[in-house]
């Protein structure tokens, strides 16, 4: 439901809760909420059937006071500018929570990639980058993959940007390894989700991870790697749902086998022989300890939040929880580790990719993983300190931390 229209409003409501704690002035609220730059571009493309279609693309640069703008590029038929604004602002807070030197941006093209050829997608990506190249670049704005875009899309971005500006691999992250991508980037977000789940379940809530029951919505990049690492840490993945089906096993699914099954069956867990199939619509009500939404935005709502039986929620997806559901979880004593902390492993390793590209010196996977863990666990402790000090939710604590950092940078620059 990433295309719903009230996402920007939800993000701003969450912002205001943190701003109230900090007693932020109206002036500072306006400065921090308002995107720095918003661009809409029209891209005429001659389709393979001979027709001319005009696609609409957006790039929102929300805030760049702490470093170059950073954020994904998504292709989606329902994409609207307000969603791009919301996701750009979430990226500002996310990069500030993990304290990496970036701001927050987001971009996208309103298109349905399932109905387009590879050649049409390449033309569209190139036209989009060509129209925006004056506001992109290693020190201005660095895109990365998001919904329906991947390493190949980023390779086209690199090539198109380079036509006007010369070879600059740090202009985009999430590239193929052969073109300067980073080791560990593919697994980075799911790994961060698993690390946050481990930290919250063991140190915060005082339980043993061995045998802890994990439930997941989504078994794509984020969900499958979160499941893989939690399985390796000794947890039991008991239920997984995706767009095409769902599978469960109380004793724990064989995650390595499920990983292979999904990758050889159009990405889905449907039809996995090592468990019982069930209705994916009942995923929230499954019996378990740790719930990981890792698919869509806006899925934990006033309607679904009361169904949840887990005592810990770790947000792999961006904005999966509405403010109404947040309140329900808070009242029910369910701990929720928010997206801007839990799924920040991806942007953290994107930062490593940018650094490696700038210095043209590359690190191996072990070094990347060690650095990722250090940054995420520091951010976890920083947010924990805010939660304890203000007696607030983890989402508000993370936003308080981020707002303080971005506000300080604004003030130092003279605003
Ligand atoms: P993906 O396309 O690899 O996987 C998406 C998964 O969601 C698939 O398993 C798909 O079947 C499932 N899904 C889609 N529609 C569904 C539905 N209606 N019901 C149940 N499941 C459904 O995407 P991803 O990269 O894993 O991203 C997942 C989420 O995490 C998105 O919200 C994305 O914005 C967010 N995120 C991704 C990254 C990253 O590095 N990939 C980083 C931060 C946040």
């Amino acid at each position: 439901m990433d295309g719903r229209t009230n996402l920007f409003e939800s993000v701003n409501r969450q912002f205001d809760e943190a701003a109230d704690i900090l007693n932020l002035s109206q002036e500072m609220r306006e400065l921090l909420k308002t995107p720095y730059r918003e661009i809409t571009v029209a891209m005429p493309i001659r389709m393979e059937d001979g027709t001319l279609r005009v696609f609409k693309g957006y790039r929102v640069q929300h805030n760049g006071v702490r470093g170059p703008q950073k954020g994904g590029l998504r292709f989606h038929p329902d994409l609207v500018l307000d969603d791009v604004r919301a996701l750009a602002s979430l990226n500002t807070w996310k990069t500030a929570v993990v304290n990496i030197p970036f701001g927050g941006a987001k971009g996208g093209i309103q298109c349905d990639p399932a109905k387009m050829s590879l050649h049409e997608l390449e033309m569209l990506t190139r036209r989009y980058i060509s129209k925006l190249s004056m506001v992109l670049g290693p020190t201005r704005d660095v895109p990365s993959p998001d919904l329906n875009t991947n390493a190949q899309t980023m390779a086209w971005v690199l090539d198109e940007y380079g036509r006007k500006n010369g070879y600059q691999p740090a202009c985009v992250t999430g590239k193929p390894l052969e073109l300067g991508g980073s080791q560990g980037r593919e697994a980075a977000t799911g790994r961060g989700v698993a690390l946050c789940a481990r930290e919250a379940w063991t140190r915060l809530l005082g339980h043993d991870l061995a045998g802890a029951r994990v439930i997941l919505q989504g078994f794509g990049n984020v969900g499958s790697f979160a499941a893989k690492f939690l399985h390796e840490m000794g947890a039991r993945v008991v239920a997984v749902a995706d767009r095409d089906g769902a599978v469960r096993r109380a004793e724990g699914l064989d995650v390595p086998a499920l990983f292979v099954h999904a990758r050889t069956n159009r990405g889905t867990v449907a039809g996995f022989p090592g468990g019982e199939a069930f209705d994916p619509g009942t995923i929230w009500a499954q019996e378990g300890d740790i719930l990981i939404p890792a698919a869509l935005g806006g899925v934990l709502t006033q309607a679904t939040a009361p169904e949840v039986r887990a005592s810990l929620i770790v947000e792999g997806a961006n904005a999966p929880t509405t403010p109404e559901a947040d309140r329900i979880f808070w009242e029910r004593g369910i701990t929720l580790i928010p997206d801007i902390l839990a799924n920040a492993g991806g942007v953290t390793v994107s930062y490593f990719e940018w650094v490696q590209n700038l210095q043209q010196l590359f690190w191996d996977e072990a070094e990347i993983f060690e650095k990722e863990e250090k940054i995420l666990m520091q951010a976890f402790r920083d947010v924990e300190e805010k939660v304890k000090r203000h007696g607030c939710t983890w989402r508000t604590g993370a936003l308080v931390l981020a707002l303080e950092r971005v506000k300080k940078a604004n003030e130092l620059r003279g605003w």
Side-chain angles (χ1 to χ4, degrees), residues 52-372:
L52 184 82
R53 282 192 57 194
V54 183
F55 292 89
K56 207 179 241 187
Y58 307 103
R59 187 76 185 168
V60 174
Q61 298 175 334
H62 177 259
N63 190 300
V65 293
R66 298 182 59 264
Q69 312 274 353
K70 185 90 193 78
L73 164 63
R74 62 172 55 182
F75 293 165
H76 201 279
D78 302 329
L79 190 73
V80 292
L81 184 55
D82 252 0
D83 282 352
V84 185
R85 288 188 179 117
L87 294 162
S89 75
L90 277 180
N91 280 336
T92 299
W93 315 132
K94 194 180 295 183
T95 52
V97 165
V98 287
N99 212 4
I100 56 177
F102 282 126
K106 197 79 176 189
I109 301 177
Q110 214 180 64
C111 68
D112 188 352
K115 295 185 179 145
M116 295 172 68
S117 72
L118 202 62
H119 177 69
E120 288 164 347
L121 286 172
E122 179 179 347
M123 290 306 105
L124 191 56
T125 307
R126 288 185 182 280
R127 191 58 63 89
Y128 174 83
I129 293 303
S130 156
K131 290 218 162 176
L132 289 172
S133 77
M134 78 293 277
V135 297
L136 301 177
T139 60
R140 289 176 177 270
D141 182 353
V142 185
S144 42
D146 194 63
L147 277 186
N148 296 321
T149 58
N150 54 28
Q152 176 59 73
T153 324
M154 300 306 114
W156 296 328
V157 171
L158 172 81
D159 192 69
E160 189 62 32
Y161 184 80
R163 283 155 66 104
K164 280 188 190 153
N165 301 284
Y167 176 64
Q168 299 210 35
C171 73
V172 57
T173 62
K175 301 180 292 293
L177 281 175
E178 296 84 349
L179 292 176
S182 178
Q183 296 288 346
R185 175 62 186 89
E186 194 192 0
T189 308
R191 187 162 179 278
V193 171
L195 290 170
C196 286
R198 181 196 70 190
E199 199 65 4
W201 188 248
T202 58
R203 198 172 57 71
L204 211 62
L205 301 176
H207 303 303
D208 202 342
L209 197 57
R213 297 161 305 167
V214 178
I215 302 161
L216 286 135
Q217 187 195 46
F219 203 71
N221 175 271
V222 180
S224 67
F225 279 103
K228 174 182 184 288
F229 288 109
L230 281 166
H231 176 78
E232 285 169 12
M233 291 170 189
R236 266 186 294 158
V237 175
V238 293
V240 181
D242 68 19
R243 191 193 296 112
D244 303 312
V247 61
R248 68 183 168 201
R249 183 168 183 266
E251 304 77 27
L253 294 157
D254 179 345
V255 174
L258 187 61
F259 205 85
V260 173
H261 173 87
R263 273 157 177 69
T264 47
N265 287 276
R266 297 170 294 101
T268 180
V269 300
F272 181 61
E276 176 200 358
F278 68 97
D279 173 6
T282 64
I283 187 68
W284 314 118
Q286 297 299 310
E287 190 80 54
D289 303 306
I290 305 173
L291 175 64
I292 303 180
L296 307 169
V299 287
L300 290 167
T301 62
Q302 204 156 10
T304 54
E307 293 175 10
V308 169
R309 291 153 95 170
S311 49
L312 173 66
I313 299 171
V314 184
E315 293 184 334
N318 281 320
T321 310
T322 65
E324 293 75 23
D326 258 338
R327 196 164 319 111
I328 293 170
F329 294 140
W330 171 254
E331 284 163 6
R332 292 184 57 201
I334 296 173
T335 303
L336 184 150
I337 308 298
D339 47 8
I340 56 173
L341 171 62
N343 72 27
V347 75
T348 301
V349 176
S350 273
Y351 160 55
F352 299 155
E353 182 174 334
W354 180 76
V355 170
Q356 292 169 89
N357 290 154
L358 289 176
Q359 64 183 6
Q360 283 299 303
L361 181 67
F362 288 85
W363 307 328
D364 63 21
E365 190 180 69
E367 194 168 354
I368 297 277
F369 278 175
E370 190 192 324
K371 286 181 158 68
E372 179 190 1

